[in-house]
Amino acid sequence: MSKFRTALLAGAMVVGLGAAADAAPITGGISLAGGFTPIDGFSAPTTLAAATGIDFGASFATGASGTLASFGSVSTAAGTLTMTDFQFVSVPPPVSPLFTAFDGVATLSFDLNTVSIISQNSSTLQLSGTGILSLPGFDPTPGDWVLTANSLGGTFSWSSSTAAVIPEPASLALLGMGLLGLGFAARRRAA
């Protein structure tokens, strides 16, 4: 019986220490806005309807929430936000990073993995897709994004939010160890 308790305690400690070493996922979202120029496959300015890429201009955060709340005031003018121009048709993603933001303490980055054209005409362009948000001290976290651009003011808005988090193996192992312990305790009482 003593060996069983020792083994159970050692197993719980290993699982507990493993879970403590894992970082938490990023939560919340960030919204960006600013100027842009629609570009063709040769990075030349074109109409929104013919665009195959985006050349970002001055950009800034319009809001941030959750883990990302401290990035709510980043901007290209202040040098705390960098946007990467990209092609969404002729040279599809990944774009790594699509943007980086610095809140005075840490650097957030977003790697664009997929892109889909939702709508494209002479007055608007709407793209969506998926990517990975990265921030020191946190797990790289999958997220969804949407970009909406218009030709009237030459402006865009971009927002991302984190996807649903799936429990990591350490949490499932800890749950399994707890259930196993309950099973052994019930068995001992029955005997």
Side-chain angles (χ1 to χ4, degrees):
M1 185 62 174
S2 176
K3 287 182 182 181
F4 173 73
R5 284 185 185 166
T6 304
L8 187 59
L9 181 60
M13 288 177 62
V14 168
V15 171
L17 291 174
D22 289 339
I26 298 168
T27 62
I30 186 168
S31 297
L32 306 173
F36 79 99
T37 302
I39 55 175
D40 63 17
F42 301 102
S43 297
T46 189
T47 65
L48 202 53
T52 62
I54 299 285
D55 179 0
F56 292 104
S59 306
F60 53 92
T62 58
S65 64
T67 307
L68 307 178
S70 63
F71 294 92
S73 61
V74 297
S75 70
T76 54
T80 55
L81 177 65
T82 304
M83 302 289 293
T84 303
D85 303 337
F86 74 99
Q87 291 286 323
F88 56 86
V89 174
S90 59
V91 183
V95 178
S96 180
L98 175 63
F99 76 81
T100 59
F102 181 68
D103 68 355
V105 177
T107 300
L108 169 71
S109 66
F110 183 81
D111 295 339
L112 184 138
N113 291 338
T114 65
V115 63
S116 297
I117 300 171
I118 304 301
S119 66
Q120 184 174 14
N121 56 49
S122 61
S123 60
T124 61
L125 170 66
Q126 187 173 20
L127 306 173
S128 70
T130 61
I132 301 290
L133 285 159
S134 298
L135 183 63
F138 293 88
D139 288 334
T141 306
D144 300 318
W145 63 271
V146 174
L147 180 135
T148 304
N150 71 62
S151 62
L152 299 176
T155 60
F156 79 91
S157 65
W158 185 92
S159 64
S160 72
S161 60
T162 54
V165 176
I166 299 170
E168 74 275 357
S171 293
L172 294 175
L174 187 59
L175 175 64
M177 291 291 289
L179 291 174
L180 185 63
L182 287 174
F184 278 121
R187 183 174 175 205
R188 181 173 179 202
R189 283 188 189 149

